[in-house]
Amino acid sequence: MGGNAEAKCIAINPVRPEQIAVGANDPYVRLYDRRKLTCKAMKMPEETNGRTLWDSPSNSIQYHPDDFAMQQDSVHYFIAGHLPQKQKDYKKRYRTLASTYLTFSPDGTELLVNLGGEQIYLFDVNSQRKAEKFDISMILAQNGVAKEAACTNGFSLHKNGTTNGVANGVQAAAAAVMKAELEVDAKYRSVKRHKLDNKGLPQGVELLKKKANSYFEKEHYSKAIYLYNQAVARSSNSSVLFGNRAAAYMKRKWDGDLYAALRDCHSALQLDPNHLKAHFRLARCLYELSWPQEAYDCLQQFKNKFPDYAKSNACEALDKDIKAAISSNADDKDPDNAVDPQAAMRKKSFPISEQEKLWREAAFDHESRFCGHCNTTTDIKEANYFGSNGQYIVAGSDDGSFFIWEKNTTNIVRVLKGDDSIVNCLQPHPSHCLLATSGIDPVVRLWSPLAEDGSKNEREIDNSDDAALANQKRMNADPLEVMLMNMGYRITGVFDVDEEEEQRGDQGVNCRPS
């Protein structure tokens, strides 16, 4: 499992029992094929002075990772695409990322992971979705544009934690090729885009978009995202919907929102390579996700493609910030050890093998993400499928409630009070609509649908948006503040949801949805 890795949870695929998923004290999830594993003997330390076999440091046996080398295809790694780069930031804030629970879907095609310190992620075990960073050339090539540039400019999907920058000479040549081909095909794409716009969205989807835009203008970003999710689920071929949802994610900025915005920008550009706002937002997302070289490459593409906006205040300000970040990275020789002085010692004692590095670099990205709960206090918090076809996701939270999401849209459909302190465990009945929950209280509660007589469930949380926002603040609060809050102290301003949000005045092309 790699240096310093400790297994935290495990699940066996109910349809393909050869697949075993293991969550650990890091953000990676391992999916093993036990048919390709071999047993190896470990030498146990000798018992001394009545101490248990593993308690004596002098008798501990050191193993090198290469002692347990496996077939390269015996395991696949999964991780949300932004997390390898964000681990350093989480260490600074003393936030630990570890899987607290994982489970397979009833049909065995999906893997649901409750990641402590972050969100809930759903992975497709059969797909090979790679993490996204900057791949504008491939997007253009898929639309019949800039084929030569796609072969020469060197952009590709990123490998986790690494940077795929290109040399200035190659970049200049690629930009020249792309600019020439864009000029040749501009008229064709303009006509194609005009036809697409004239077709428009279905009436119901258009109403959802307008209502979401209204919430966005009022700075109710969670409500806007809720409606954009519904619209995208009903019309997944609209670049405008993906672009607008990306803008809402960038404004809300919950954990993982910037990467979700980046993926939406990619989707918008795949549908419409001329989407100006999506291209600029992509560059900004890359910068804010600490990928400055890719942000620089993306912004240069933006300037070449939209020269009228190259001198805008927003573009020049972003260009300045990106160059400063690149310069800062060049001066930072060893950021890992600067964050954690003991990092070098741990790496020396528990080295990561070259095979482990390859597995991590090839890790697959998530399909969807579920936000709103808080998972920082306990390391046994579960997340599960619920419903006759697993169409809902349920998980407990540190605020004593449990959340129910619609799997298709990732929207919160209900929040219920399950415990006075924390809800840890949730287990659904395999065939009946019945859910069991438990937490810190010495009580196990059973939940089933109420009669449709108009009566209200007294344990239902009326405002799920406020509950979700409070949990996001809780996850990002200082650990001491969280500890004091759990002891009953009131920390003013940390978990209040009615306080005035900080105003952010973005300029230029990044200011509003379409």
Side-chain angles (χ1 to χ4, degrees):
M1 291 178 59
N4 293 314
E6 300 174 0
K8 293 292 185 181
C9 46
I10 190 168
I12 299 177
N13 192 322
V15 178
R16 299 181 58 187
E18 71 275 10
Q19 291 185 340
I20 302 176
V22 179
N25 58 335
D26 58 33
Y28 292 92
V29 176
R30 288 91 167 156
L31 181 62
Y32 294 93
D33 186 339
R34 63 186 180 93
R35 298 171 301 179
K36 300 179 181 180
L37 302 178
T38 56
C39 295
K40 292 192 177 182
M42 293 180 63
K43 184 178 179 181
M44 297 182 65
E46 297 179 359
E47 184 176 3
T48 58
N49 300 327
R51 303 178 69 178
T52 59
L53 295 177
W54 302 100
D55 283 346
S56 176
S58 61
N59 289 337
S60 62
I61 300 175
Q62 297 295 327
Y63 289 96
H64 191 275
D66 291 335
D67 295 337
F68 302 96
M70 301 184 298
Q71 297 182 41
Q72 191 64 30
D73 62 346
S74 62
V75 60
H76 291 106
Y77 279 39
F78 297 83
I79 188 173
H82 65 291
L83 290 181
Q85 188 74 4
K86 295 291 290 183
Q87 286 189 81
K88 292 181 291 184
D89 179 54
Y90 285 142
K91 286 181 181 179
K92 290 180 182 178
R93 293 184 283 160
Y94 299 98
R95 284 179 64 181
T96 301
L97 300 182
S99 299
T100 62
Y101 191 81
L102 51 78
T103 185
F104 286 94
S105 60
D107 62 3
T109 62
E110 298 170 347
L111 185 60
L112 186 69
V113 181
N114 198 343
L115 185 62
E118 244 260 357
Q119 315 288 10
I120 296 172
Y121 291 97
L122 187 149
F123 300 93
D124 187 332
V125 300
N126 297 320
S127 75
Q128 296 184 350
R129 180 167 189 161
K130 299 299 295 182
E132 297 180 36
K133 188 179 286 188
F134 176 56
D135 193 26
I136 199 68
S137 60
M138 183 178 295
I139 292 171
L140 295 174
Q142 289 174 348
N143 289 274
V145 183
K147 295 183 179 62
E148 293 180 19
C151 299
T152 59
N153 68 1
F155 298 136
S156 63
L157 296 179
H158 84 286
K159 293 184 178 180
N160 294 319
T162 65
T163 302
N164 293 334
V166 295
N168 291 335
V170 177
Q171 181 185 16
V177 172
M178 178 169 290
K179 185 176 181 181
E181 295 205 7
L182 289 175
E183 291 174 353
V184 172
D185 291 337
K187 183 176 180 180
Y188 164 76
R189 292 197 315 276
S190 177
V191 173
K192 184 178 179 181
R193 170 73 188 277
H194 180 68
K195 291 181 179 179
L196 181 63
D197 288 344
N198 284 342
K199 185 178 180 180
L201 295 170
Q203 183 177 2
V205 176
E206 182 66 29
L207 291 175
L208 286 172
K209 188 196 82 169
K210 289 181 178 179
K211 191 173 182 180
N213 289 352
S214 176
Y215 278 127
F216 182 94
E217 296 296 337
K218 297 175 183 177
E219 300 183 1
H220 297 162
Y221 303 121
S222 290
K223 287 183 171 63
I225 291 170
Y226 182 95
L227 295 174
Y228 287 136
N229 287 344
Q230 289 184 332
V232 168
R234 294 172 59 178
S235 182
S236 60
N237 60 349
S238 170
S239 62
V240 172
L241 292 178
F242 284 107
N244 288 4
R245 188 171 66 177
Y249 279 135
M250 294 174 70
K251 287 288 189 178
R252 190 176 70 169
K253 287 190 176 180
W254 288 3
D255 289 333
D257 274 358
L258 284 173
Y259 185 66
L262 180 146
R263 299 207 325 181
D264 274 354
C265 289
H266 273 287
S267 297
L269 290 170
Q270 286 174 347
L271 293 165
D272 177 15
N274 278 337
H275 199 306
L276 181 148
K277 294 180 181 179
H279 198 149
F280 185 81
R281 288 169 185 154
L282 178 58
R284 180 173 290 279
C285 286
L286 290 165
Y287 164 70
E288 295 193 21
L289 285 166
S290 301
W291 291 322
Q293 183 60 56
E294 286 76 5
Y296 177 82
D297 296 335
C298 183
L299 192 61
Q300 299 314 303
Q301 291 271 14
F302 175 84
K303 290 179 178 180
N304 292 332
K305 190 174 181 182
F306 306 105
D308 293 342
Y309 293 89
K311 297 298 182 181
S312 66
N313 292 337
C315 189
E316 290 186 342
L318 180 58
D319 186 63
K320 182 178 179 180
D321 290 340
I322 291 172
K323 290 177 179 177
I326 292 175
S327 177
S328 176
N329 282 1
D331 295 336
D332 191 356
K333 301 299 183 182
D334 196 351
D336 286 334
N337 293 343
V339 172
D340 186 354
Q342 297 181 344
M345 183 180 299
R346 289 199 304 268
K347 289 179 181 179
K348 185 176 180 180
S349 301
F350 303 95
I352 296 178
S353 67
E354 292 301 319
Q355 189 179 50
E356 171 75 12
K357 292 178 182 178
L358 292 175
W359 282 328
R360 293 189 178 192
E361 289 179 354
F364 298 140
D365 201 3
H366 67 284
E367 294 294 327
S368 53
R369 176 182 64 120
F370 303 90
C371 306
H373 80 312
C374 180
N375 182 8
T376 58
T377 305
T378 58
D379 60 356
I380 56 173
K381 200 167 277 86
E382 299 177 350
N384 250 310
Y385 290 87
F386 188 55
S388 57
N389 296 311
Q391 63 268 42
Y392 297 100
I393 303 297
V394 293
S397 178
D398 290 341
D399 63 347
S401 61
F402 69 92
F403 285 68
I404 304 176
W405 294 268
E406 185 181 27
K407 190 182 78 170
N408 186 36
T409 63
T410 72
N411 284 337
I412 298 172
V413 295
R414 188 158 297 181
V415 183
L416 296 161
K417 192 69 175 178
D419 191 273
D420 287 340
S421 298
I422 298 172
V423 175
N424 286 321
C425 303
L426 303 94
Q427 289 295 323
H429 191 279
S431 58
H432 293 279
C433 190
L434 183 67
L435 181 70
T437 66
S438 67
I440 302 300
D441 293 345
V443 175
V444 174
R445 290 185 170 88
L446 300 179
W447 306 80
S448 61
L450 294 174
E452 296 183 3
D453 56 2
S455 60
K456 179 176 174 57
N457 189 338
E458 295 181 355
R459 286 190 166 270
E460 182 176 353
I461 306 297
D462 291 329
N463 195 325
S464 59
D465 287 340
D466 283 354
L469 177 58
N471 280 331
Q472 291 299 310
K473 291 184 177 182
R474 179 193 295 260
M475 282 204 298
N476 287 280
D478 183 272
L480 177 60
E481 293 175 342
V482 175
M483 182 183 69
L484 292 174
M485 189 278 301
N486 289 333
M487 294 170 60
Y489 291 91
R490 177 67 176 173
I491 310 298
T492 304
V494 176
F495 306 114
D496 298 331
V497 297
D498 56 350
E499 61 183 299
E500 183 177 356
E501 294 293 320
E502 179 182 358
Q503 301 295 320
R504 299 185 180 93
D506 290 341
Q507 305 175 29
V509 296
N510 195 33
C511 59
R512 64 182 63 209
S514 303

